[in-house]
Amino acid sequence: MRNTGIVAPLMLLSMFLVSGCDDRGPTAPSPPSVPSPVPAQPVPTDVWNITVRLTTVSGGDCVGETMQSEIGVPKSYSLTTVTKDGTVEVTLKSASGDYACTFSARAESDGFTTLGVPGFYSCTTSLGVSDFVCANGIRRDIVRFGQNISGRISGNEVSGRWDVEWEIWEPGSRSYIGAVDTTAQYTGNR
């Protein structure tokens, strides 16, 4: 006597087990999906074409007297501001290429200022002028000792002030003679 009640389920189970086997081998799980990188947010950058005019000169031996002849004379510069996380990096560069410095500044509601901001500025050009010739023929070395710049932005226009303190030295000897302070005003647009 045959027990057909057991054979049918066993046949079905063996068919199922055989169908699960093939010659392709085991399949690897899919790699986890890598999230696409979040694109970097653009850093607000403004480039201004400005005209700088020396407005005051005080002190400074024959250097100060000679610099006074430059009061009111327009000079072309570019001013670049990069704003990120409440700070501003300000780069001031002369059109002639003889001056290029970058300052750390504080953002203000209508512009920026370096006043009271700790840190230093960096320059890609010399901080001084060797062998500056005074109007009376005397020669001096002058070096920028300290600088502050501030600006007010209104639409596409910028205006501000640039203060520089210069140290005056005997040429080649580094004997300190004195200091001269200059203030300049600037205006410009994008």
Side-chain angles (χ1 to χ4, degrees), residues 80-122:
T80 304
T81 58
V82 179
T83 306
K84 185 177 180 183
D85 300 328
T87 62
V88 181
E89 183 179 273
V90 178
T91 301
L92 184 61
K93 184 177 181 180
S94 66
S96 64
D98 64 344
Y99 177 87
C101 291
T102 300
F103 305 85
S104 294
R106 178 180 64 247
E108 295 189 328
S109 63
D110 61 348
F112 61 88
T113 186
T114 61
L115 290 171
V117 176
F120 297 95
Y121 54 89
S122 63

Side-chain angles (χ1 to χ4, degrees), residues 54 57 59-68 70 98-99 121 125-134 138-147 164-182:
L54 189 62
V57 177
D61 184 50
C62 67
V63 173
E65 293 170 13
T66 302
M67 286 182 166
Q68 286 182 9
E70 294 293 311
D98 64 344
Y99 177 87
Y121 54 89
T125 56
S126 172
L127 284 175
V129 177
S130 295
D131 210 24
F132 178 92
V133 180
C134 292
I138 295 175
R139 297 179 181 278
R140 300 285 190 237
D141 288 345
I142 58 175
V143 179
R144 289 177 188 92
F145 180 69
Q147 301 184 69
V164 181
E165 181 180 343
W166 300 81
E167 287 189 346
I168 304 167
W169 300 82
E170 193 68 41
S173 72
R174 297 316 240 177
S175 295
Y176 178 77
I177 294 173
V180 61
D181 295 317
T182 61

Side-chain angles (χ1 to χ4, degrees), residues 3-97:
N3 191 348
T4 58
I6 283 186
V7 173
L10 283 175
M11 288 289 289
L12 186 58
L13 177 63
S14 65
M15 286 176 54
F16 176 73
L17 290 175
V18 170
S19 70
C21 298
D22 63 18
D23 60 348
R24 290 182 283 174
T27 59
S30 301
S33 63
V34 176
S36 37
V38 176
Q41 296 298 317
V43 177
T45 302
D46 289 309
V47 179
W48 311 87
N49 296 308
I50 63 171
T51 301
V52 176
R53 287 182 173 82
L54 189 62
T55 56
T56 62
V57 177
S58 61
D61 184 50
C62 67
V63 173
E65 293 170 13
T66 302
M67 286 182 166
Q68 286 182 9
S69 68
E70 294 293 311
I71 290 177
V73 176
K75 308 259 180 173
S76 296
Y77 284 77
S78 66
L79 179 73
T80 304
T81 58
V82 179
T83 306
K84 185 177 180 183
D85 300 328
T87 62
V88 181
E89 183 179 273
V90 178
T91 301
L92 184 61
K93 184 177 181 180
S94 66
S96 64

